[in-house]
């Protein structure tokens, strides 16, 4: 059993902890949190050993009635691997501490690519990372993960001459009541191309990808308007099959009458998915179109959860002995990834068998 | 003086009426309205002869205390040209009535291209329409106008191999409190390409343009993420100059620190523009980038007003003797188009001289 510590228990950390708990070959060594808020209390109720990430805040945990299992060093010592889920920029500051304990660590996409040994996406470069001696690895961001999952198979099947994508980004997550914009449509960044294209190149180095970022008043998911100029001709049905054969791409059928992210989220909640999460890229089947060698489609990306199975796989790439195919199957099966339409109304529990039992193998 | 009737006095009609009133060679023959609401009352206060578009509603105007100058036939008889600003689809139904009176008419972009003799954009095909015997002409929609204004000069200066644009559309106008979405990002239409590319071809028939439409919870302006593969290489500065030399394109300088449509609208209101209107395409200078032959930029399009100067020009193309250059200069001067940064705090009045006096010649 791989013992995995989770440092940071916010939007990503709490999902990663539950996903780890659901794996047959992993256990949660504990979680670390700076503030004893409602999420820390939930972590304790779920049975995770809660660690106070900042020593000076430890009395606040006592006051809040949340038992503290130790400090951050205790957590790192108890872990074979740490998944750093702290806010962007904090992860890089934590690297030295993990190195002191000689503990490999994962970081999230908010960290700079050059703050780590390598960047990771299961579909793009799992085996390469597993074969390398990288010990400090960044799981690329939600948008980059979403692009990599479709570009890797398109490159393999048809060759990609150039990708141009407009990323219409949610202004903040549902819980981030301090974010905006309200009633605006922001070029973000106003400079073109945005950083997302170069970020894809940290896991798929040879692809030509230009991206433009826009931010809008919505919280549920990002929407990508994607154009891929293929190297060879392909019809829309063939592309649809190529994408549908990917376990982490859900080609939304027209019959589902899914208009946008709000419907997708309803769908996920009705399916009983934990927190209504959508781990897969959601590509509208009706949008897949080819004009000459130009492929177009829309996909929605759930910013809170699409990197969660990637973090699980990255742990195995760093510290396990599974290859990419084995790890992805194991992760998907334990969580129910790719079994969108059949997942029963059960949530992932800390003993990890809830979602696994309901997954469509 | 060209006597122009305006049938329909909503978002577009009220702006067109004021723009006509501001022209030295035009007068408002009257406006027609179906409902005696606050807009009808404002039309009366502005001194326009209000006509009841539906005979059966005439008593309602009497009850509302809005004097009725006549019915729709009276308005058409009093007009050399009618500008139909009725809701999408209604204009085509009105065509027969205008023909009965042998009165040429303009229609808005919501009508089908095949319901009219020709489609119009001043930058794309004014002289062609003026030389033709077209009498029922459609001014293309706000988004199509916005694309045509930049693609025509880019085609002339560099050649356009292919254009791919994502149109991030406002969900509704500020006054349309019955529209959505709330908190969603909708592929709209979900099929690709959207109708906007073919619509550009009604005024620029030889351009290859693929468009994708997205609708978001905002009301102020549309935002276009534009990619143009040029036929010849050009650097970003040259493109910026090409676009800035267009009188209906405002290249927003970085020093203005304009983050998005909300800032643009504040800017227009501070400049004293009528209703805070932005008749020009607003292209972010900082966004203009070239990668090889791929040009990228963001532009904001004010859906309520960018077609207003186009309607004025289209009247001259149909019934006047000005050529394109003369008409555009005349329209711009009367309204203050292109004088974004110097317009004084005066609004267009029905005597038409307010904005003209403050325009930067």
């Amino acid at each position: 059993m791989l013992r995995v510590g989770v440092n940071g228990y916010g939007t990503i950390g709490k999902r990663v902890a539950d996903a780890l708990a659901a794996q047959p070959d992993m256990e949660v060594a504990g979680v670390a949190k700076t503030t004893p808020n409602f999420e820390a209390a939930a972590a304790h109720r779920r049975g995770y050993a809660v660690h106070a990430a900042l020593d000076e805040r430890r009395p606040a945990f006592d006051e809040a009635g949340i038992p503290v299992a130790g400090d951050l060093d205790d957590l790192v010592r108890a872990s074979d691997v740490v998944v750093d889920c702290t806010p962007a920029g904090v992860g890089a500051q934590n690297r030295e501490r993990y190195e002191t304990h000689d503990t490999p660590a994962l970081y999230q996409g908010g960290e700079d690519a050059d703050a780590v040994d390598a960047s990771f996406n299961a579909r793009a470069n799992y085996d390469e990372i597993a074969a390398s001696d990288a010990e400090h690895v960044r799981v690329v961001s939600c948008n980059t993960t979403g692009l990599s999952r479709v570009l890797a198979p398109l490159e393999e099947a048809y060759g990609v001459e150039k990708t141009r994508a407009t990323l219409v980004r949610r202004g903040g997550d549902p819980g981030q009541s301090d974010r905006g914009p309200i009633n605006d449509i922001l070029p973000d960044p106003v400079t073109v191309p945005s950083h997302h294209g170069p970020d894809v190149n940290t896991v798929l180095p040879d692809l030509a990808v230009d991206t433009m970022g826009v931010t809008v008043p919505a919280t549920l998911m990002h929407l990508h308007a994607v154009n891929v100029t293929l190297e060879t001709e392909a019809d829309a049905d063939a592309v649809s099959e190529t994408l549908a054969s990917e376990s982490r791409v859900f080609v939304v059928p027209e019959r589902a009458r899914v208009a946008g992210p709000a419907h997708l989220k309803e769908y996920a909640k009705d399916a009983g998915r934990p927190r209504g999460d959508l781990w897969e890229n959601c590509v509208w089947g009706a949008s897949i179109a080819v004009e000459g060698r130009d492929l177009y489609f829309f996909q929605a990306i759930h910013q809170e959860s699409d990197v969660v199975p990637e973090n699980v796989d990255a742990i195995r790439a760093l510290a396990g002995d599974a290859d990419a195919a084995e790890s992805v199957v194991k992760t998907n099966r334990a969580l129910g990834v790719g079994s969108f339409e059949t997942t029963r109304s059960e949530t992932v529990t800390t003993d990890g068998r809830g979602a696994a039992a309901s997954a469509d193998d």
Side-chain angles (χ1 to χ4, degrees), chain A:
Chain A
M1 291 291 264
L2 281 167
R3 293 168 305 159
V4 186
V6 179
N7 184 15
Y9 192 81
T11 300
I12 299 297
K14 61 192 179 186
R15 287 173 166 84
V16 166
D18 289 355
L20 300 179
Q23 304 304 312
D25 54 343
M26 297 183 189
E27 63 185 13
V28 178
V31 304
K33 186 106 182 85
T34 55
T35 312
N37 69 351
F38 65 93
E39 286 168 319
H44 171 61
R45 284 198 303 274
R46 279 181 183 250
Y48 299 135
V50 177
H51 294 65
L54 300 172
D55 288 337
E56 65 271 26
R57 296 271 184 87
R58 196 159 172 158
F61 281 78
D62 297 336
E63 283 167 32
I66 299 170
V68 174
D71 62 15
L72 185 52
D73 286 307
D74 293 327
L75 177 61
V76 179
R77 266 190 294 270
S79 304
D80 299 317
V81 179
V82 171
V83 183
D84 188 297
C85 301
T86 59
V90 178
Q93 296 169 28
N94 289 333
R95 176 174 173 162
E96 195 177 328
R97 187 193 298 243
Y98 307 141
E99 285 177 330
T100 302
H101 294 280
D102 201 21
T103 303
L106 294 178
Y107 305 83
Q108 303 307 310
E111 305 306 320
D112 287 340
D114 55 14
V116 291
D117 301 336
S119 295
F120 176 90
N121 170 261
R123 184 60 179 81
N125 69 347
Y126 180 110
D127 288 327
E128 188 186 319
I129 298 297
S132 76
D133 51 11
E135 294 209 319
H136 295 270
V137 170
R138 183 181 72 117
V139 175
V140 293
S141 74
C142 50
N143 279 309
T144 305
T145 295
L147 288 170
S148 302
R149 281 180 181 166
V150 290
L151 294 180
L154 291 172
E155 167 75 359
E156 289 165 13
Y158 312 106
V160 169
E161 183 177 297
K162 180 150 193 172
T163 298
R164 304 165 183 89
T166 302
L167 313 183
V168 186
R169 302 153 73 189
R170 60 81 179 103
D173 294 336
Q176 292 177 309
S177 41
D178 57 340
R179 299 271 293 242
I182 295 172
N183 198 23
D184 211 351
I185 309 175
L186 300 173
D188 181 20
V190 69
T191 50
V192 184
S194 71
H195 63 279
H196 304 91
D199 204 36
V200 170
N201 291 142
T202 65
V203 293
L204 293 167
D206 299 325
L207 282 187
V209 192
D210 286 341
T211 48
M212 301 179 81
V214 176
T215 300
V216 302
T219 65
L220 302 177
M221 302 178 81
H222 302 297
L223 186 79
H224 293 180
V226 183
N227 162 241
V228 184
T229 306
L230 302 171
E231 287 177 346
T232 55
E233 299 219 356
D235 67 24
D237 288 344
V239 170
S240 184
E241 281 174 34
T242 299
L243 295 178
S245 69
E246 293 292 311
S247 69
R248 292 181 185 168
V249 176
F250 173 43
V251 177
V252 185
E254 273 193 85
R255 66 173 185 279
R257 297 175 189 247
V258 167
H263 285 174
L264 287 169
K265 287 289 291 174
E266 284 298 296
Y267 196 1
K269 287 185 284 187
D270 288 350
R273 288 197 164 198
R275 299 184 176 90
D277 282 352
L278 289 145
W279 303 290
E280 305 89 348
N281 291 26
C282 299
V283 175
W284 271 267
S287 74
I288 298 171
V290 180
E291 305 265 319
R293 287 188 292 113
D294 269 322
L295 164 67
Y296 297 93
F297 60 89
F298 286 110
Q299 66 176 2
I301 299 297
H302 188 214
Q303 74 280 357
E304 297 174 293
S305 73
D306 78 328
V307 299
V308 170
E310 307 296 327
N311 273 275
V312 174
D313 291 327
I315 291 165
R316 292 199 191 93
L318 239 64
D321 49 17
D323 68 14
E326 291 163 356
S327 177
V328 167
V329 166
K330 193 174 282 193
T331 302
N332 290 354
R333 194 169 291 183
L335 294 178
V337 175
S339 60
F340 204 126
E341 300 181 89
T342 55
T343 305
R344 286 211 316 276
S345 181
E346 297 180 5
T347 53
V348 178
T349 58
T350 51
D351 74 5
R353 295 293 86 77
S358 69
D360 176 8
D361 293 351

